[in-house]
Amino acid sequence: MNVVVFASRKGGSGKSTLVAHLGSYMAANARPTLLIDADPQGSLALWQRVRGAQDLPLHVGTKHLAATLAKARRAGAEWVLIDTPPSAEAPVAEAIWHADLVVIPMRPGLFDVDAVQATIQLCRELKKPYAVVINAAPAKNGSEDPMVADARGAMQTLEIPTWGGQITHRPELSLFLAHGAGVNEFSVGSAGSEEIGSLWRALTRSFEAIEAMTGKQPQSA
Ligand SMILES: Nc1ncnc2c1ncn2[C@@H]1O[C@H](COP(=O)(O)OP(=O)(O)OP(=O)(O)O)[C@@H](O)[C@H]1O
Ligand SMILES: [Mg+2]
């Protein structure tokens, strides 16, 4: 079972958005997935209520996380996606403590690049693998937008592992969430859907790499 925690001290970086779209993608690909909304703002829980489907079980809150994960494992979950609040405080630290991998969504901007440091510090203290995912990026126009290239350069200088792809800023990513859906459900084969699929494949590869290092059994995509 792959436990992925989405964390960033920076509000609005895209934690809940990525969890919802990835969750929907996993459900569509018949990968048993548990969502955990560990953010009192309850964005993910709201999305799931609007969705109204049974394909993505949801646990709300940070209490009894260990027991919730143990139950999910027994029930055959392959993926657990945990959405967290925009902080680097105790509930986030607890979620990260349970993570196999921490995804840190980051918009490409100076303040955003600066704000990821606190979360990375936490991952390093807890010795957890992590990767930055550039989100809400300007669309590629042949090559990567200079803002994205700058952000990537900063990550490289700071030796912060960063996904080579990007999730582009697309209004439909917000729109579909308002309908309780993921981009793959409303817009099959679209560029947005391809990007979410590509992120999922990258996560799967990361787990294969983690398995090679630790002996943990990965789930195939
Ligand atoms: N790639 C994207 N394209 C378009 N809109 C996006 C994208 N990513 C996020 N958004 C929008 O940006 C806003 C913030 O995103 P989201 O709520 O996912 O961030 P968050 O990190 O969960 O925020 P918080 O820290 O407050 O929980 C939302 O309105 C969301 O729809
Ligand atoms: Mg959120």
Side-chain angles (χ1 to χ4, degrees):
M1 189 174 81
N2 302 330
V3 180
V4 191
V5 170
F6 292 72
S8 161
R9 195 185 62 174
K10 184 88 174 153
S13 56
K15 299 176 283 295
S16 307
T17 298
L18 294 186
V19 170
H21 285 290
L22 279 167
S24 150
Y25 196 95
M26 288 167 183
N29 284 278
R31 314 314 303 206
T33 302
L34 172 70
L35 304 183
I36 298 183
D37 190 347
D39 182 357
Q41 288 183 103
S43 309
L44 196 61
L46 175 61
W47 174 76
Q48 222 253 10
R49 270 203 305 283
V50 175
R51 184 174 179 81
Q54 305 298 316
D55 56 352
L56 281 169
L58 172 79
H59 175 85
V60 176
T62 44
K63 282 189 187 148
H64 317 301
L65 206 46
T68 302
L69 292 174
K71 194 173 159 199
R73 186 173 278 112
R74 284 196 302 275
E78 290 184 4
W79 293 86
V80 179
L81 308 181
I82 307 182
D83 188 19
T84 65
S87 78
E89 288 162 13
V92 178
E94 165 152 26
I96 290 179
W97 194 84
H98 287 284
D100 298 311
L101 175 68
V102 182
V103 168
I104 305 172
M106 184 190 79
R107 289 176 182 251
L110 173 67
F111 300 153
D112 306 81
V113 166
D114 185 54
V116 296
Q117 313 285 341
T119 310
I120 285 165
Q121 184 59 29
L122 199 51
C123 295
R124 287 180 175 164
E125 279 166 17
L126 295 171
K127 298 188 170 40
K128 293 294 177 174
Y130 59 88
V132 163
V133 167
I134 297 177
N135 178 42
K140 284 185 183 170
N141 187 5
S143 59
E144 216 163 53
D145 185 89
M147 268 180 75
V148 176
D150 264 13
R152 217 178 268 295
M155 293 297 104
Q156 206 165 6
T157 306
L158 295 165
E159 298 184 343
I160 295 170
T162 304
W163 178 45
Q166 68 172 46
I167 303 294
T168 302
H169 186 273
R170 300 179 193 276
E172 65 266 31
L173 289 187
S174 292
L175 180 68
F176 297 150
L177 293 188
H179 291 272
V183 63
N184 59 300
E185 293 166 310
F186 261 62
S187 187
V188 183
S190 66
S193 176
E194 290 299 315
E195 283 180 355
I196 295 293
S198 161
L199 177 55
W200 182 42
R201 287 189 291 279
L203 292 180
T204 303
R205 283 196 302 276
S206 297
F207 275 96
E208 283 164 2
I210 292 167
E211 189 263 343
M213 281 188 297
T214 65
K216 181 182 183 293
Q217 284 303 308
Q219 305 291 339
S220 57

